[in-house]
């Protein structure tokens, strides 16, 4: 039996700046990342870290801390929020000075009170313009990273919404390094207008035979049986493409997006007999978990060494 390639993650510096010694940096740009017809407001925001302790310290997959001004209902300073960086490790500028994130402006109505609510930090960030200054900290995160030996692996990336952010940076890292393996990017969105960085990913797919871009539009493109397609559905609907990649022992899975999305993906992996990506507890029959309660399902398995999870 072949030996699995060792996964060697890079050593990273964490929390060089924290909430107590955050640095104030300028916004370089803040641009809409969706199409003009989108009902949502999602921005690509770039920070200039030049001359700060954070310059050159971020790796794709890590998060940057944002400290919104003001105090909470208890009179304490607002808590720091973490946002995945969407830039490659060398930054948007190639020198680690300019790093970006992807922010959705959160606006909604409480279902019971019918009162409007807004996301405190997302709205603060989304309202900043080029030249405005913001307090940042980090880096945060030491596992949701590409391996140092990145060329030794294939990659299957699952993203929903702004969970695409770290994969933009990771894929840029891979392309800049001359990567020649296989990549499948499965990106879920309710509407086509919310497909982020679409031109970049479609361009890569057109130019690189090993790169596969699978946008999954849940509210516009019903499956053959009339059900809504979600990212996990691609494990079945595009098994012709994904099964051969997932059967290889040097393939890694990364998942980023809303908490709970991993359950459907894990069930899809079990259905397609890709249980090598999971650590099972106390069951000889993984397929039995497909009908288990939510609590039993969570207790019976966890991601294995070849699965990387970042949900929020």
């Amino acid at each position: 039996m072949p030996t699995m390639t060792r996964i060697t993650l890079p050593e990273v510096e964490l929390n060089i700046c924290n909430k107590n010694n955050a640095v104030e940096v300028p916004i370089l740009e803040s641009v809409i990342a969706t199409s003009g017809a989108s009902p949502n407001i999602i921005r690509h925001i770039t920070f200039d870290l030049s001359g700060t302790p954070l310059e050159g310290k971020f790796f794709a997959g890590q998060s940057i801390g944002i400290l919104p001004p003001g105090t909470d209902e208890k009179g304490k300073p607002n808590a720091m929020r973490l946002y995945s960086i969407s830039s490659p490790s060398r930054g948007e500028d190639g020198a680690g000075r300019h790093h970006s994130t992807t922010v959705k402006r959160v606006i909604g109505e409480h279902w019971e009170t019918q009162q409007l609510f807004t996301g405190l930090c997302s709205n603060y960030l989304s309202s900043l313009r080029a030249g405005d200054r913001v307090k940042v900290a980090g880096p945060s995160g030491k596992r949701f990273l590409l391996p140092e030996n990145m060329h030794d692996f294939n990659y299957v990336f699952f993203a929903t919404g702004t969970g695409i952010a770290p994969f933009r940076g990771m894929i840029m890292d891979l392309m800049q390094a001359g990567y020649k393996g296989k990549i499948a990017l499965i990106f879920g969105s309710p509407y086509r207008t919310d497909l982020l960085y679409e031109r970049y990913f479609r361009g890569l797919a057109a130019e690189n035979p090993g790169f596969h871009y699978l946008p999954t539009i849940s509210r516009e493109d019903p499956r053959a049986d009339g059900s809504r397609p979600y990212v996990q559905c691609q494990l079945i609907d595009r098994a012709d493409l994904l099964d051969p990649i997932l059967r290889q022992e040097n393939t890694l899975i990364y998942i980023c997006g809303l908490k709970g999305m991993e359950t459907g993906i894990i069930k899809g992996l079990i259905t397609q007999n890709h249980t090598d990506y999971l650590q099972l507890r106390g069951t000889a029959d993984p397929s039995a978990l497909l009908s288990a309660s939510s609590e039993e399902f969570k207790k019976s398995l966890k991601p294995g060494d070849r699965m990387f999870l970042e949900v929020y």
Side-chain angles (χ1 to χ4, degrees):
M1 184 175 180
T3 303
M4 189 183 79
T5 306
R6 180 181 176 85
I7 302 169
T8 305
L9 296 179
E11 292 187 10
V12 295
E13 294 182 70
L14 298 175
N15 303 316
I16 296 169
C17 296
N18 57 42
K19 65 180 182 179
N20 297 316
N21 65 343
V23 292
E24 191 174 73
V25 301
I27 300 288
L28 272 184
E29 70 169 0
S30 177
V31 296
I32 291 291
T34 52
S35 76
S38 173
N40 296 305
I41 302 170
I42 305 175
R43 306 190 77 89
H44 178 81
I45 300 174
T46 305
F47 311 98
D48 184 357
L49 306 180
S50 300
T52 75
L54 299 179
E55 180 180 333
K57 299 300 184 181
F58 282 92
F59 282 71
Q62 290 190 296
S63 296
I64 188 168
I66 305 296
L67 282 84
T71 56
D72 61 20
E73 63 277 4
K74 296 181 180 178
K76 296 182 179 180
N78 284 319
M80 182 173 72
R81 270 69 164 182
L82 295 177
Y83 290 85
S84 295
I85 64 165
S86 51
S87 42
S89 299
R90 291 191 293 178
E92 303 286 2
D93 62 325
R97 294 186 294 261
H98 304 161
H99 277 289
S100 57
T101 189
T102 312
V103 180
K104 179 179 179 181
R105 189 185 284 273
V106 178
I107 303 173
E109 181 184 275
H110 192 278
W111 68 273
E112 188 173 24
T113 65
Q114 296 179 237
Q115 295 299 303
L116 185 72
F117 67 85
T118 59
L120 188 150
C121 196
S122 70
N123 278 277
Y124 162 65
L125 263 184
S126 297
S127 297
L128 296 177
R129 296 184 175 188
D132 290 341
R133 301 181 72 84
V134 59
K135 287 185 176 181
V136 301
S140 177
K142 63 180 181 179
R143 187 172 188 271
F144 200 75
L145 304 166
L146 290 176
E148 282 188 336
N149 49 335
M150 62 175 70
H151 296 279
D152 294 339
F153 300 95
N154 303 306
Y155 301 92
V156 178
F157 298 123
F158 289 91
T160 58
T162 55
I164 196 68
F167 300 143
R168 176 182 182 265
M170 289 180 178
I171 290 168
M172 284 182 161
D173 275 1
L174 290 165
M175 294 299 119
Q176 290 170 5
Y179 178 79
K180 300 299 182 185
K182 294 181 175 63
I183 301 172
L185 172 61
I186 303 161
F187 181 25
S189 174
Y191 305 103
R192 281 186 177 81
T193 53
D194 290 343
L195 288 174
L196 305 174
Y197 310 116
E198 182 181 23
R199 182 178 299 179
Y200 173 67
F201 294 129
R202 288 200 184 277
L204 285 182
E207 297 169 3
N208 298 274
F211 182 83
H212 306 279
Y213 177 52
L214 303 178
T216 308
I217 314 300
S218 60
R219 298 187 184 179
E220 295 182 22
D221 297 334
R223 302 170 76 200
D225 62 1
S227 63
R228 287 184 173 181
Y230 297 102
V231 287
Q232 65 266 24
C233 298
Q234 298 286 15
L235 290 165
I236 297 171
D237 297 348
R238 291 305 316 274
D240 61 314
L241 169 67
L242 296 174
D243 274 353
I245 299 174
L246 289 167
R247 287 194 193 105
Q248 297 186 39
E249 293 192 352
N250 66 332
T251 294
L252 307 180
I253 293 176
Y254 289 73
I255 301 170
C256 188
L258 293 177
K259 189 172 184 179
M261 67 177 287
E262 71 275 17
T263 300
I265 294 169
I266 290 171
K267 287 185 176 180
L269 292 170
I270 293 172
T271 298
Q272 296 300 104
N273 198 31
H274 296 304
T275 53
D276 289 349
Y277 295 90
L278 310 171
Q279 290 185 23
L280 301 166
R281 302 165 177 160
T283 177
D285 181 16
S287 62
L289 292 174
L290 296 175
S291 57
S293 67
S294 177
E295 182 178 350
E296 183 64 24
F297 184 84
K298 292 177 181 177
K299 284 169 50 179
S300 299
L301 55 79
K302 67 177 184 178
D305 291 339
R306 290 195 290 149
M307 179 182 288
F308 298 81
L309 190 62
E310 185 84 5
V311 292
Y312 44 85

